[in-house]
Amino acid sequence: ETEHDHDRYLKIQTGSNAERKIFITDINYYKYNNEYYFPKELNLEAYEMPNRYKVYSPNVNNLLFLKRLTKEGAKIQLFQLFKSRINSTDATDQYDYYISFNNENRFLTWSIRGSKFFPNFEEKMSKIVSDCPSLVEKINQKMNGYSVKQISIDGKKYKVIRKIVDEYNSCK
């Protein structure tokens, strides 16, 4: 069990009820089943998640560990937050996706549904990947698989942004 404190450390309770403090700045990531999880700050105000009251602090960004989906060292990192199937009408797992940039604070992350990308997805994304002209052209021409609307379902947003992130990270 973990608890995020405003003093920027985790309190970890061991099986013997002993408590240990680990400063957030000392944690780069943790690995579980060959998957890497990184600490990222999120505002959970609008999220519906089970047991939210255990991780949610109102009016502050909350620190959660998100699964990295891109390779180590990628210029743009894509992360996944598992939400659960509790509110799903089709009983499938639900996820949210976030982007981080190597030139920003390592805890900073941007929701793929947020104002960093929408409205005006093509304009905003083109600026983000501006050092890859071939990708900018595909985005600006709204080629199939490189364009998405704000009202699109999250699955479509993820597929388009994943495609762009992967192509950008391999752009020479």
Side-chain angles (χ1 to χ4, degrees):
E1 179 179 319
T2 63
E3 176 183 343
H4 179 215
D5 196 307
H6 298 289
D7 293 331
R8 310 298 289 170
Y9 62 85
L10 293 174
K11 288 191 267 182
I12 299 177
Q13 287 184 320
T14 65
S16 62
N17 285 334
E19 193 173 275
R20 182 174 167 206
K21 292 181 182 178
I22 301 174
F23 287 96
I24 299 299
T25 53
D26 293 337
I27 301 172
N28 289 324
Y29 63 87
Y30 74 86
K31 182 179 177 182
Y32 179 75
N33 287 339
N34 288 324
E35 295 176 322
Y36 292 86
Y37 295 81
F38 290 78
K40 298 292 178 181
E41 289 183 347
L42 304 176
N43 182 330
L44 300 176
E45 191 77 35
Y47 283 89
E48 291 183 27
M49 28 190 314
N51 302 314
R52 182 176 98 167
Y53 64 92
K54 292 182 179 179
V55 296
Y56 173 68
S57 297
N59 303 316
V60 298
N61 282 342
N62 292 260
L63 189 82
L64 296 178
F65 285 85
L66 305 183
K67 182 167 78 171
R68 184 183 67 199
L69 301 177
T70 46
K71 293 179 181 178
E72 182 178 357
K75 295 180 277 186
I76 297 178
Q77 294 284 335
L78 184 61
F79 294 91
Q80 179 185 72
L81 172 65
F82 173 74
K83 292 192 328 186
S84 135
R85 63 182 75 143
I86 200 161
N87 291 328
S88 174
T89 56
D90 60 0
T92 59
D93 290 335
Q94 302 294 306
Y95 301 93
D96 278 330
Y97 297 94
Y98 297 85
I99 298 281
S100 287
F101 303 96
N102 284 346
N103 61 350
E104 294 181 334
N105 178 308
R106 72 183 183 107
F107 298 113
L108 186 61
T109 190
W110 303 93
S111 169
I112 68 168
R113 295 185 289 157
S115 62
K116 182 81 168 174
F117 304 100
F118 298 100
N120 306 315
F121 175 78
E122 290 79 15
E123 178 184 330
K124 291 178 177 181
M125 187 56 87
S126 291
K127 286 180 184 176
I128 290 169
V129 300
S130 63
D131 57 337
C132 185
S134 62
L135 182 55
V136 169
E137 186 176 334
K138 292 175 186 176
I139 294 167
N140 285 335
Q141 290 181 1
K142 298 181 181 182
M143 291 180 67
N144 189 24
Y146 294 88
S147 179
V148 66
K149 302 281 186 220
Q150 186 170 2
I151 61 171
S152 297
I153 59 171
D154 289 342
K156 172 145 174 120
K157 287 177 187 169
Y158 166 72
K159 286 178 184 174
V160 168
I161 289 177
R162 177 70 195 236
K163 183 175 189 170
I164 291 170
V165 165
D166 288 344
E167 190 167 326
Y168 177 75
N169 285 334
S170 63
C171 188
K172 305 280 184 210

